[in-house]
Amino acid sequence: MNGATASATRLRAPPSHDPAWLGRVFWAGAALVLLWPLLVATEFKPWLLFEAANLKVTGQFLASFLPPAHSAEFLVMVARETWRTVAIATAGMTLALLLALPLTLLSTRVLSISALSGRMARGPFWLRQAVRGLLIVLRSVPELVWALVFVRVVGLGPTAGVLAIALTYGGMLGKVYGEILESGETHATETLLRNGSSRLQAFFWGLLPQNAGELTSYTVYRWECAIRSSVVLGFVGAGGLGQQMDNSMKMFHGGEVFTMLAVFVALVALADHVSAQLRRALA
Amino acid sequence: MTTPRPAAANAPYRLPPPLFSARCKACWFVAAVLALVAASFWTLQLQWGQFLSLDALLSMARFAGEFFPPDTSPAFLRKVLVGTWETLAMSALGTALAAAAGLLLALPASRLHDGDAARARAPTRLLLNALRAIPELVWAALLLIAAGLGPFAGTLALAAHTTGVLGRLFAESLENAPPGPAAALRAQGVGNVRLFLYATLPQVLPQLMSYTLYRWENNIRAAAVLGVVGAGGLGQLLSFHMGLFHMGKTATILGAMLLLVALVDALSYGARRWLTR
């Protein structure tokens, strides 16, 4: 008994406060100092939100949210524009697919015949690098910028939105398709190529069946993203729900904005749900 | 009594399956996709004629030609540099605000231990979903009314959307944290705040950091274009000069944007390679 208490007193008493508090306080202070230039650059003045004039405008806008606009005429218009949003996304994805498929076939290393015997020949190698470069350029220009440019060329309306989605998503699909095709098991494809099948045959009977599920699942996921971005494209005049939302916001019609926001959120949730179901069925 | 038929030496030859059968789910899926695509093209009435005509192609070529030469006068380059810095600052501050707000909302949105009733879980998750469902650009357009033109509205818009995304991710990682250390401290009678600070947070902090950095990368890209509705940064410069048909200046801004995005891509790729080495 006596020995036990003696050994207990030998143990160090637990610290009564955080032993690392000095360091934590120092780093928190340093982060605040580093934050200062950011606050200046972004004109971060939260008190402006609470100035009387600003509060009045915001309050009026928010108050006009209720009741949401629900006249039959308006709802028909919203339904039409919602369909257009989906249609822009679908048409854009179709064109993106048409763009991405040939580029994928051109850029996949697995389908190279010269690579079967060690190193790829110089010509095919540089062709593949060039196609990859093109995909990177297509992908790295944001779709909103493409839309801005195309609105200048073809005028306001859905054509600009479809083209913008087609180009950006074509780049994304091409890159990811290539990665999917190259990451899987390539033994069957290689065997086909070694036994004298053509590259297209090797693709359709070796590579495609093996990766079809993953490719479709990624395409469905991108379609979901395209719906989201086709709403955003409407804000620069590419048609659909976004354009109507922009108009209503500029005219401070809060009720209409509220209805369209609700429809948009429901649309995205629906697309999310459909895409999740499809991808589960494909897995 | 009949003698059983001998089995065929070869498997019987089968016809290929029919192209469409009512029991084949994939057939219905393909048919639905084809119908959706056809309906989309049919109802949109795209102006291909106008777009692919010689006239349009010429005007497009002229339009592309006007981009050259890009404006590289020092005064304008300085303006673009300021715009780039503004874009970076918007994305960084927006992400930082969102990480703080996301953590605050993730606490009520997660069930931290088995005895936790977590009454606020469902409503907080609903709020997070609503924040997340509205894209940054729509937030920016909405917030322009309250915050006025400029980068402040853009920062708040990025923060609002990212709060929804990060809050949800943070809540998931809080719920998935190993419960051992927290349970040990709770058994000792440690209060909830200290329990979170010294048991749960240190365990999930690396994951929270990596989510935040990933969103920052996304937000830099988003901030570059956010300005087209008037919310500051490179996008605002772009829409301003494009609206006035200053094509040389537009080309410079587009170049800066692409450079920024490419740089972020390369840095994040390099960092990932370095971290997973």
Side-chain angles (χ1 to χ4, degrees):
Chain A
M1 194 66 204
N2 226 352
T5 35
S7 74
T9 48
R10 244 181 280 129
L11 286 174
R12 209 157 18 124
S16 58
H17 57 78
D18 183 354
W21 71 274
L22 198 62
R24 292 183 210 262
V25 169
F26 171 76
W27 286 114
L32 279 184
V33 171
L34 286 178
L35 215 57
W36 185 247
L38 296 183
L39 295 179
V40 173
T42 55
E43 301 168 19
F44 193 76
K45 294 168 189 146
W47 54 90
L48 280 187
L49 291 178
F50 303 102
E51 265 180 12
N54 249 336
L55 268 186
K56 200 171 146 226
V57 176
T58 314
Q60 272 171 0
F61 183 59
L62 286 181
S64 70
F65 269 33
L66 290 176
H70 56 272
S71 69
E73 192 186 350
F74 177 72
L75 288 183
V76 168
M77 191 277 284
V78 167
R80 196 179 58 230
E81 294 302 327
T82 308
W83 162 249
R84 274 159 84 96
T85 297
V86 176
I88 290 173
T90 313
M93 274 304 285
T94 314
L95 295 185
L97 208 61
L98 292 182
L99 183 69
L101 281 180
L103 291 180
T104 310
L105 287 180
L106 280 177
S107 71
T108 314
R109 295 178 57 91
V110 187
L111 292 176
S112 160
I113 287 180
S114 61
L116 286 176
S117 52
R119 279 186 60 169
M120 206 186 292
R122 202 166 289 157
F125 175 75
W126 286 113
L127 176 70
R128 283 186 171 79
Q129 290 307 103
V131 172
R132 271 173 199 213
L134 175 65
L135 286 175
I136 289 176
V137 169
L138 284 179
R139 187 171 58 99
S140 58
V141 179
E143 61 260 44
L144 205 69
V145 172
W146 281 126
L148 270 177
V149 170
F150 283 126
V151 163
R152 286 265 171 284
V153 178
V154 293
L156 294 175
T159 316
V162 170
L163 287 174
I165 290 184
L167 287 180
T168 309
Y169 282 60
M172 285 181 197
L173 288 180
K175 174 175 176 281
V176 175
Y177 283 176
E179 278 169 9
I180 291 176
L181 291 182
E182 284 176 14
S183 66
E185 176 66 43
T186 58
H187 186 76
T189 319
E190 209 174 291
T191 311
L192 283 175
L193 284 177
R194 279 191 194 285
N195 285 300
S197 78
S198 77
R199 277 171 287 208
L200 268 184
Q201 280 173 331
F203 173 71
F204 277 115
W205 274 275
L207 218 44
L208 186 61
Q210 237 167 3
N211 299 300
E214 210 174 331
L215 292 176
T216 323
S217 147
Y218 184 73
T219 314
V220 170
Y221 166 68
R222 272 292 151 200
W223 172 74
E224 177 200 330
C225 297
I227 288 185
R228 226 168 303 170
S229 80
S230 88
V231 171
V232 169
L233 293 183
F235 275 79
V236 296
L241 207 53
Q243 198 167 354
Q244 299 302 330
M245 220 190 278
D246 194 33
N247 288 342
S248 298
M249 270 180 206
K250 281 184 179 143
M251 295 191 291
F252 289 87
H253 287 169
E256 295 181 3
V257 173
F258 187 75
T259 309
M260 285 192 273
L261 275 180
V263 170
F264 168 62
V265 169
L267 176 69
V268 169
L270 187 72
D272 203 7
H273 184 72
V274 170
S275 130
Q277 288 282 332
L278 280 177
R279 281 185 283 155
R280 198 166 314 136
L282 288 165
Chain B
M1 198 180 133
T2 54
T3 50
R5 257 165 132 198
N10 296 320
Y13 181 76
R14 286 206 193 137
L15 288 172
L19 212 54
F20 187 86
S21 102
R23 286 198 187 167
C24 148
K25 271 187 194 160
C27 307
W28 284 110
F29 173 60
V30 170
V33 167
L34 288 181
L36 183 64
V37 168
S40 301
F41 276 103
W42 187 51
T43 53
L44 277 181
Q45 296 152 354
L46 301 173
Q47 304 133 338
W48 294 125
Q50 201 181 323
F51 178 62
L52 293 175
S53 68
L54 190 66
D55 220 26
L57 288 181
L58 277 181
S59 88
M60 209 182 311
R62 205 165 46 237
F63 183 76
E66 277 173 18
F67 277 131
F68 294 96
D71 188 338
T72 52
S73 64
F76 185 67
L77 280 185
R78 203 166 306 129
K79 234 170 113 182
V80 172
L81 209 62
V82 170
T84 312
W85 164 241
E86 208 172 273
T87 300
L88 278 174
M90 274 162 63
S91 66
L93 191 61
T95 315
L97 288 175
L103 191 58
L104 278 183
L105 286 175
L107 284 173
S110 52
R111 177 171 287 124
L112 290 170
H113 54 92
D114 287 337
D116 194 352
R119 279 195 197 83
R121 189 169 182 264
T124 317
R125 291 209 166 206
L126 195 68
L127 172 67
L128 289 175
N129 279 341
L131 286 171
R132 193 168 59 106
I134 300 177
E136 297 99 336
L137 201 94
V138 180
W139 272 121
L142 279 170
L143 285 167
L144 283 182
I145 292 165
L149 287 175
F152 182 42
T155 312
L156 288 184
L158 286 174
H161 177 77
T162 313
T163 299
V165 177
L166 286 183
R168 199 184 137 100
L169 289 172
F170 285 4
E172 301 290 333
S173 29
L174 285 181
E175 287 192 343
N176 292 334
L185 284 192
R186 190 170 300 109
Q188 302 280 330
V190 175
N192 271 333
V193 175
R194 289 205 294 165
L195 196 140
F196 173 72
L197 285 179
Y198 292 106
T200 317
L201 189 61
Q203 279 183 308
V204 295
L205 200 56
Q207 206 176 4
L208 303 196
M209 284 305 286
S210 88
Y211 282 144
T212 308
L213 285 177
Y214 160 70
R215 279 315 300 188
W216 185 31
E217 182 196 333
N218 275 16
N219 279 348
I220 296 178
R221 249 172 270 157
V225 293
L226 207 52
V228 296
V229 292
L234 280 177
Q236 192 165 3
L237 277 182
L238 179 75
S239 71
F240 176 74
H241 288 293
M242 206 179 234
L244 294 176
F245 291 98
H246 293 158
M247 283 325 192
K249 290 185 168 154
T250 307
T252 314
I253 300 165
L254 280 178
M257 238 179 214
L258 292 188
L259 206 63
L260 183 66
V261 172
L263 211 62
V264 169
D265 273 349
L267 277 180
S268 99
Y269 180 73
R272 253 171 256 267
R273 283 278 293 264
W274 184 66
L275 286 173
T276 56
R277 204 171 37 176

